[in-house]
PDB file of all heavy atoms in Angstrom:
ATOM      1  N   ARG A   6       4.297  14.542   1.265  1.00  0.00           N
ATOM      2  CA  ARG A   6       4.881  15.939   0.893  1.00  0.00           C
ATOM      3  C   ARG A   6       5.716  16.296   2.135  1.00  0.00           C
ATOM      4  O   ARG A   6       5.278  16.412   3.226  1.00  0.00           O
ATOM      5  CB  ARG A   6       3.878  16.911   0.683  1.00  0.00           C
ATOM      6  CG  ARG A   6       2.958  16.510  -0.545  1.00  0.00           C
ATOM      7  CD  ARG A   6       1.780  17.588  -0.744  1.00  0.00           C
ATOM      8  NE  ARG A   6       0.882  17.107  -1.828  1.00  0.00           N
ATOM      9  CZ  ARG A   6      -0.125  16.193  -1.576  1.00  0.00           C
ATOM     10  NH1 ARG A   6      -0.341  15.813  -0.283  1.00  0.00           N
ATOM     11  NH2 ARG A   6      -0.875  15.837  -2.577  1.00  0.00           N
ATOM     12  N   VAL A   7       6.963  16.620   1.776  1.00  0.00           N
ATOM     13  CA  VAL A   7       7.884  17.183   2.773  1.00  0.00           C
ATOM     14  C   VAL A   7       8.654  18.332   2.345  1.00  0.00           C
ATOM     15  O   VAL A   7       8.761  18.467   1.087  1.00  0.00           O
ATOM     16  CB  VAL A   7       8.940  16.074   3.261  1.00  0.00           C
ATOM     17  CG1 VAL A   7       8.158  14.997   4.151  1.00  0.00           C
ATOM     18  CG2 VAL A   7       9.741  15.437   2.204  1.00  0.00           C
ATOM     19  N   VAL A   8       9.244  19.132   3.222  1.00  0.00           N
ATOM     20  CA  VAL A   8      10.177  20.112   2.809  1.00  0.00           C
ATOM     21  C   VAL A   8      11.566  19.637   3.456  1.00  0.00           C
ATOM     22  O   VAL A   8      11.678  19.484   4.615  1.00  0.00           O
ATOM     23  CB  VAL A   8       9.866  21.515   3.306  1.00  0.00           C
ATOM     24  CG1 VAL A   8      11.038  22.513   2.972  1.00  0.00           C
ATOM     25  CG2 VAL A   8       8.526  21.989   2.613  1.00  0.00           C
ATOM     26  N   VAL A   9      12.607  19.448   2.636  1.00  0.00           N
ATOM     27  CA  VAL A   9      13.852  19.039   3.154  1.00  0.00           C
ATOM     28  C   VAL A   9      14.903  20.029   2.643  1.00  0.00           C
ATOM     29  O   VAL A   9      15.030  20.297   1.385  1.00  0.00           O
ATOM     30  CB  VAL A   9      14.275  17.611   2.640  1.00  0.00           C
ATOM     31  CG1 VAL A   9      15.566  17.224   3.237  1.00  0.00           C
ATOM     32  CG2 VAL A   9      13.131  16.617   2.987  1.00  0.00           C
ATOM     33  N   ASN A  10      15.662  20.550   3.583  1.00  0.00           N
ATOM     34  CA  ASN A  10      16.668  21.574   3.241  1.00  0.00           C
ATOM     35  C   ASN A  10      16.078  22.685   2.347  1.00  0.00           C
ATOM     36  O   ASN A  10      16.640  23.050   1.362  1.00  0.00           O
ATOM     37  CB  ASN A  10      17.864  20.954   2.455  1.00  0.00           C
ATOM     38  CG  ASN A  10      18.393  19.824   3.315  1.00  0.00           C
ATOM     39  OD1 ASN A  10      18.370  19.760   4.559  1.00  0.00           O
ATOM     40  ND2 ASN A  10      19.027  18.737   2.678  1.00  0.00           N
ATOM     41  N   ASP A  11      14.923  23.127   2.770  1.00  0.00           N
ATOM     42  CA  ASP A  11      14.242  24.241   2.123  1.00  0.00           C
ATOM     43  C   ASP A  11      13.740  23.944   0.713  1.00  0.00           C
ATOM     44  O   ASP A  11      13.284  24.845  -0.019  1.00  0.00           O
ATOM     45  CB  ASP A  11      14.967  25.488   2.033  1.00  0.00           C
ATOM     46  CG  ASP A  11      15.298  26.093   3.430  1.00  0.00           C
ATOM     47  OD1 ASP A  11      14.394  26.057   4.291  1.00  0.00           O
ATOM     48  OD2 ASP A  11      16.444  26.569   3.609  1.00  0.00           O
ATOM     49  N   ARG A  12      13.614  22.614   0.352  1.00  0.00           N
ATOM     50  CA  ARG A  12      13.177  22.263  -0.941  1.00  0.00           C
ATOM     51  C   ARG A  12      11.964  21.372  -0.718  1.00  0.00           C
ATOM     52  O   ARG A  12      11.983  20.437   0.011  1.00  0.00           O
ATOM     53  CB  ARG A  12      14.229  21.524  -1.702  1.00  0.00           C
ATOM     54  CG  ARG A  12      13.724  21.164  -3.110  1.00  0.00           C
ATOM     55  CD  ARG A  12      14.975  20.642  -3.904  1.00  0.00           C
ATOM     56  NE  ARG A  12      14.379  19.928  -5.088  1.00  0.00           N
ATOM     57  CZ  ARG A  12      14.999  19.026  -5.811  1.00  0.00           C
ATOM     58  NH1 ARG A  12      16.307  18.743  -5.591  1.00  0.00           N
ATOM     59  NH2 ARG A  12      14.470  18.386  -6.777  1.00  0.00           N
ATOM     60  N   ALA A  13      10.861  21.677  -1.500  1.00  0.00           N
ATOM     61  CA  ALA A  13       9.664  20.764  -1.292  1.00  0.00           C
ATOM     62  C   ALA A  13       9.736  19.624  -2.265  1.00  0.00           C
ATOM     63  O   ALA A  13      10.157  19.631  -3.409  1.00  0.00           O
ATOM     64  CB  ALA A  13       8.420  21.620  -1.758  1.00  0.00           C
ATOM     65  N   TYR A  14       9.330  18.465  -1.636  1.00  0.00           N
ATOM     66  CA  TYR A  14       9.279  17.127  -2.421  1.00  0.00           C
ATOM     67  C   TYR A  14       7.884  16.520  -2.282  1.00  0.00           C
ATOM     68  O   TYR A  14       7.220  16.657  -1.164  1.00  0.00           O
ATOM     69  CB  TYR A  14      10.260  16.131  -1.864  1.00  0.00           C
ATOM     70  CG  TYR A  14      11.724  16.525  -1.935  1.00  0.00           C
ATOM     71  CD1 TYR A  14      12.307  17.302  -0.933  1.00  0.00           C
ATOM     72  CD2 TYR A  14      12.546  16.080  -3.093  1.00  0.00           C
ATOM     73  CE1 TYR A  14      13.644  17.599  -1.036  1.00  0.00           C
ATOM     74  CE2 TYR A  14      13.855  16.505  -3.151  1.00  0.00           C
ATOM     75  CZ  TYR A  14      14.442  17.156  -2.159  1.00  0.00           C
ATOM     76  OH  TYR A  14      15.782  17.539  -2.199  1.00  0.00           O
ATOM     77  N   GLU A  15       7.504  15.854  -3.297  1.00  0.00           N
ATOM     78  CA  GLU A  15       6.253  14.971  -3.269  1.00  0.00           C
ATOM     79  C   GLU A  15       6.575  13.680  -3.765  1.00  0.00           C
ATOM     80  O   GLU A  15       7.028  13.579  -4.964  1.00  0.00           O
ATOM     81  CB  GLU A  15       5.091  15.746  -3.920  1.00  0.00           C
ATOM     82  CG  GLU A  15       3.877  14.915  -3.871  1.00  0.00           C
ATOM     83  CD  GLU A  15       2.624  15.628  -4.594  1.00  0.00           C
ATOM     84  OE1 GLU A  15       2.551  16.777  -4.440  1.00  0.00           O
ATOM     85  OE2 GLU A  15       1.918  14.941  -5.260  1.00  0.00           O
ATOM     86  N   LEU A  28      14.602   9.214   2.697  1.00  0.00           N
ATOM     87  CA  LEU A  28      15.529  10.369   2.397  1.00  0.00           C
ATOM     88  C   LEU A  28      16.597   9.756   1.555  1.00  0.00           C
ATOM     89  O   LEU A  28      16.986  10.418   0.537  1.00  0.00           O
ATOM     90  CB  LEU A  28      16.164  10.836   3.704  1.00  0.00           C
ATOM     91  CG  LEU A  28      15.248  11.615   4.719  1.00  0.00           C
ATOM     92  CD1 LEU A  28      15.841  11.767   5.994  1.00  0.00           C
ATOM     93  CD2 LEU A  28      14.840  12.959   4.015  1.00  0.00           C
ATOM     94  N   LEU A  32      14.718  10.363  -2.130  1.00  0.00           N
ATOM     95  CA  LEU A  32      15.127  11.808  -2.380  1.00  0.00           C
ATOM     96  C   LEU A  32      16.652  11.868  -2.690  1.00  0.00           C
ATOM     97  O   LEU A  32      17.128  12.985  -2.938  1.00  0.00           O
ATOM     98  CB  LEU A  32      14.797  12.566  -1.105  1.00  0.00           C
ATOM     99  CG  LEU A  32      13.316  12.641  -0.674  1.00  0.00           C
ATOM    100  CD1 LEU A  32      13.185  13.739   0.443  1.00  0.00           C
ATOM    101  CD2 LEU A  32      12.380  12.842  -1.775  1.00  0.00           C
ATOM    102  N   LEU A  34      19.176  11.690  -0.808  1.00  0.00           N
ATOM    103  CA  LEU A  34      19.964  12.372   0.179  1.00  0.00           C
ATOM    104  C   LEU A  34      20.683  11.350   0.998  1.00  0.00           C
ATOM    105  O   LEU A  34      20.308  11.025   2.114  1.00  0.00           O
ATOM    106  CB  LEU A  34      19.038  13.311   1.050  1.00  0.00           C
ATOM    107  CG  LEU A  34      18.409  14.345   0.196  1.00  0.00           C
ATOM    108  CD1 LEU A  34      17.273  15.084   1.022  1.00  0.00           C
ATOM    109  CD2 LEU A  34      19.413  15.423  -0.326  1.00  0.00           C
ATOM    110  N   LEU A  52      17.286  16.580  11.394  1.00  0.00           N
ATOM    111  CA  LEU A  52      16.605  17.636  12.211  1.00  0.00           C
ATOM    112  C   LEU A  52      15.176  17.755  11.706  1.00  0.00           C
ATOM    113  O   LEU A  52      14.915  17.872  10.483  1.00  0.00           O
ATOM    114  CB  LEU A  52      17.369  18.995  12.096  1.00  0.00           C
ATOM    115  CG  LEU A  52      18.700  19.078  12.527  1.00  0.00           C
ATOM    116  CD1 LEU A  52      19.277  20.491  12.371  1.00  0.00           C
ATOM    117  CD2 LEU A  52      18.916  18.496  13.902  1.00  0.00           C
ATOM    118  N   ASP A  54      12.123  20.204  12.249  1.00  0.00           N
ATOM    119  CA  ASP A  54      11.855  21.505  12.863  1.00  0.00           C
ATOM    120  C   ASP A  54      13.007  21.966  13.750  1.00  0.00           C
ATOM    121  O   ASP A  54      12.820  22.529  14.776  1.00  0.00           O
ATOM    122  CB  ASP A  54      10.576  21.585  13.603  1.00  0.00           C
ATOM    123  CG  ASP A  54       9.295  21.334  12.706  1.00  0.00           C
ATOM    124  OD1 ASP A  54       9.449  21.722  11.529  1.00  0.00           O
ATOM    125  OD2 ASP A  54       8.301  20.863  13.148  1.00  0.00           O
ATOM    126  N   GLY A  55      14.200  21.634  13.272  1.00  0.00           N
ATOM    127  CA  GLY A  55      15.439  22.097  14.054  1.00  0.00           C
ATOM    128  C   GLY A  55      15.870  21.228  15.102  1.00  0.00           C
ATOM    129  O   GLY A  55      16.896  21.312  15.691  1.00  0.00           O
ATOM    130  N   ARG A  71       5.925  17.798   7.063  1.00  0.00           N
ATOM    131  CA  ARG A  71       6.922  18.368   8.086  1.00  0.00           C
ATOM    132  C   ARG A  71       8.123  18.840   7.340  1.00  0.00           C
ATOM    133  O   ARG A  71       8.336  18.645   6.078  1.00  0.00           O
ATOM    134  CB  ARG A  71       7.322  17.226   9.035  1.00  0.00           C
ATOM    135  CG  ARG A  71       6.196  16.454   9.676  1.00  0.00           C
ATOM    136  CD  ARG A  71       5.303  17.422  10.495  1.00  0.00           C
ATOM    137  NE  ARG A  71       5.980  18.006  11.683  1.00  0.00           N
ATOM    138  CZ  ARG A  71       6.031  17.550  12.877  1.00  0.00           C
ATOM    139  NH1 ARG A  71       5.458  16.334  13.099  1.00  0.00           N
ATOM    140  NH2 ARG A  71       6.663  18.057  13.885  1.00  0.00           N
ATOM    141  N   ARG A  72       8.976  19.544   8.137  1.00  0.00           N
ATOM    142  CA  ARG A  72      10.128  20.145   7.518  1.00  0.00           C
ATOM    143  C   ARG A  72      11.412  19.619   8.149  1.00  0.00           C
ATOM    144  O   ARG A  72      11.563  19.582   9.393  1.00  0.00           O
ATOM    145  CB  ARG A  72      10.024  21.768   7.875  1.00  0.00           C
ATOM    146  CG  ARG A  72      11.228  22.551   7.465  1.00  0.00           C
ATOM    147  CD  ARG A  72      10.852  23.999   7.854  1.00  0.00           C
ATOM    148  NE  ARG A  72       9.918  24.509   6.822  1.00  0.00           N
ATOM    149  CZ  ARG A  72      10.270  25.092   5.742  1.00  0.00           C
ATOM    150  NH1 ARG A  72      11.570  25.275   5.394  1.00  0.00           N
ATOM    151  NH2 ARG A  72       9.340  25.580   4.794  1.00  0.00           N
ATOM    152  N   PHE A  73      12.394  19.137   7.334  1.00  0.00           N
ATOM    153  CA  PHE A  73      13.548  18.472   7.791  1.00  0.00           C
ATOM    154  C   PHE A  73      14.827  19.213   7.283  1.00  0.00           C
ATOM    155  O   PHE A  73      14.882  19.912   6.260  1.00  0.00           O
ATOM    156  CB  PHE A  73      13.668  17.075   7.240  1.00  0.00           C
ATOM    157  CG  PHE A  73      12.475  16.252   7.809  1.00  0.00           C
ATOM    158  CD1 PHE A  73      11.279  16.209   7.073  1.00  0.00           C
ATOM    159  CD2 PHE A  73      12.549  15.573   9.016  1.00  0.00           C
ATOM    160  CE1 PHE A  73      10.178  15.467   7.634  1.00  0.00           C
ATOM    161  CE2 PHE A  73      11.517  14.893   9.516  1.00  0.00           C
ATOM    162  CZ  PHE A  73      10.397  14.785   8.809  1.00  0.00           C
ATOM    163  N   THR A  74      15.898  19.023   7.996  1.00  0.00           N
ATOM    164  CA  THR A  74      17.179  19.383   7.662  1.00  0.00           C
ATOM    165  C   THR A  74      18.140  18.134   7.664  1.00  0.00           C
ATOM    166  O   THR A  74      18.173  17.425   8.701  1.00  0.00           O
ATOM    167  CB  THR A  74      17.838  20.436   8.464  1.00  0.00           C
ATOM    168  OG1 THR A  74      16.961  21.591   8.606  1.00  0.00           O
ATOM    169  CG2 THR A  74      19.204  20.914   7.914  1.00  0.00           C
ATOM    170  N   THR A  75      18.811  17.848   6.504  1.00  0.00           N
ATOM    171  CA  THR A  75      19.768  16.719   6.468  1.00  0.00           C
ATOM    172  C   THR A  75      21.246  17.354   6.375  1.00  0.00           C
ATOM    173  O   THR A  75      21.329  18.540   6.183  1.00  0.00           O
ATOM    174  CB  THR A  75      19.582  15.806   5.337  1.00  0.00           C
ATOM    175  OG1 THR A  75      19.833  16.456   4.104  1.00  0.00           O
ATOM    176  CG2 THR A  75      18.174  15.259   5.372  1.00  0.00           C
ATOM    177  N   VAL A  76      22.255  16.589   6.430  1.00  0.00           N
ATOM    178  CA  VAL A  76      23.527  17.145   6.445  1.00  0.00           C
ATOM    179  C   VAL A  76      23.786  17.843   5.114  1.00  0.00           C
ATOM    180  O   VAL A  76      24.590  18.849   5.051  1.00  0.00           O
ATOM    181  CB  VAL A  76      24.603  16.044   6.616  1.00  0.00           C
ATOM    182  CG1 VAL A  76      24.716  15.138   5.374  1.00  0.00           C
ATOM    183  CG2 VAL A  76      26.015  16.616   6.895  1.00  0.00           C
ATOM    184  N   GLU A  77      23.075  17.538   4.066  1.00  0.00           N
ATOM    185  CA  GLU A  77      23.253  18.202   2.739  1.00  0.00           C
ATOM    186  C   GLU A  77      22.793  19.656   2.850  1.00  0.00           C
ATOM    187  O   GLU A  77      23.112  20.476   1.960  1.00  0.00           O
ATOM    188  CB  GLU A  77      22.494  17.461   1.654  1.00  0.00           C
ATOM    189  CG  GLU A  77      23.027  16.213   1.180  1.00  0.00           C
ATOM    190  CD  GLU A  77      22.479  14.952   1.991  1.00  0.00           C
ATOM    191  OE1 GLU A  77      21.886  15.218   3.021  1.00  0.00           O
ATOM    192  OE2 GLU A  77      22.729  13.838   1.580  1.00  0.00           O
ATOM    193  N   GLY A  78      22.030  19.973   3.839  1.00  0.00           N
ATOM    194  CA  GLY A  78      21.376  21.333   3.987  1.00  0.00           C
ATOM    195  C   GLY A  78      22.200  22.197   4.908  1.00  0.00           C
ATOM    196  O   GLY A  78      21.849  23.454   5.132  1.00  0.00           O
ATOM    197  N   LEU A  79      23.288  21.635   5.526  1.00  0.00           N
ATOM    198  CA  LEU A  79      23.983  22.494   6.532  1.00  0.00           C
ATOM    199  C   LEU A  79      24.837  23.532   5.920  1.00  0.00           C
ATOM    200  O   LEU A  79      24.942  24.670   6.566  1.00  0.00           O
ATOM    201  CB  LEU A  79      24.968  21.536   7.358  1.00  0.00           C
ATOM    202  CG  LEU A  79      24.359  20.961   8.599  1.00  0.00           C
ATOM    203  CD1 LEU A  79      25.431  20.269   9.420  1.00  0.00           C
ATOM    204  CD2 LEU A  79      23.625  21.968   9.478  1.00  0.00           C
ATOM    205  N   ALA A  80      25.556  23.244   4.858  1.00  0.00           N
ATOM    206  CA  ALA A  80      26.511  24.127   4.387  1.00  0.00           C
ATOM    207  C   ALA A  80      26.049  25.059   3.184  1.00  0.00           C
ATOM    208  O   ALA A  80      25.056  24.688   2.527  1.00  0.00           O
ATOM    209  CB  ALA A  80      27.649  23.306   3.782  1.00  0.00           C
ATOM    210  N   PRO A  81      26.557  26.235   3.105  1.00  0.00           N
ATOM    211  CA  PRO A  81      26.259  27.082   1.973  1.00  0.00           C
ATOM    212  C   PRO A  81      26.731  26.327   0.679  1.00  0.00           C
ATOM    213  O   PRO A  81      27.647  25.486   0.776  1.00  0.00           O
ATOM    214  CB  PRO A  81      27.061  28.306   2.098  1.00  0.00           C
ATOM    215  CG  PRO A  81      28.100  27.914   3.150  1.00  0.00           C
ATOM    216  CD  PRO A  81      27.524  26.769   3.924  1.00  0.00           C
ATOM    217  N   GLU A  82      26.077  26.593  -0.465  1.00  0.00           N
ATOM    218  CA  GLU A  82      26.370  25.775  -1.633  1.00  0.00           C
ATOM    219  C   GLU A  82      27.837  25.765  -2.008  1.00  0.00           C
ATOM    220  O   GLU A  82      28.508  26.875  -2.093  1.00  0.00           O
ATOM    221  CB  GLU A  82      25.605  26.371  -2.790  1.00  0.00           C
ATOM    222  CG  GLU A  82      25.336  25.283  -3.921  1.00  0.00           C
ATOM    223  CD  GLU A  82      24.403  25.759  -4.979  1.00  0.00           C
ATOM    224  OE1 GLU A  82      23.370  26.357  -4.656  1.00  0.00           O
ATOM    225  OE2 GLU A  82      24.645  25.465  -6.073  1.00  0.00           O
ATOM    226  N   HIS A 112      24.913  20.943  15.582  1.00  0.00           N
ATOM    227  CA  HIS A 112      24.345  22.146  15.065  1.00  0.00           C
ATOM    228  C   HIS A 112      23.235  22.587  16.005  1.00  0.00           C
ATOM    229  O   HIS A 112      23.031  23.746  16.334  1.00  0.00           O
ATOM    230  CB  HIS A 112      23.842  21.836  13.640  1.00  0.00           C
ATOM    231  CG  HIS A 112      23.276  23.037  12.967  1.00  0.00           C
ATOM    232  ND1 HIS A 112      24.005  24.066  12.402  1.00  0.00           N
ATOM    233  CD2 HIS A 112      21.995  23.406  12.667  1.00  0.00           C
ATOM    234  CE1 HIS A 112      23.276  24.957  11.792  1.00  0.00           C
ATOM    235  NE2 HIS A 112      22.080  24.587  11.993  1.00  0.00           N
TER     236      HIS A 112
END
Side-chain angles (χ1 to χ4, degrees):
R6 295 176 189 84
V7 288
V8 175
V9 184
N10 305 331
D11 293 325
R12 180 174 162 194
Y14 296 88
E15 179 176 323
L28 291 168
L32 305 190
L34 295 169
L52 303 182
D54 294 332
R71 311 299 297 268
R72 174 177 287 270
F73 297 89
T74 306
T75 67
V76 71
E77 289 89 348
L79 270 189
E82 202 168 324
H112 182 80

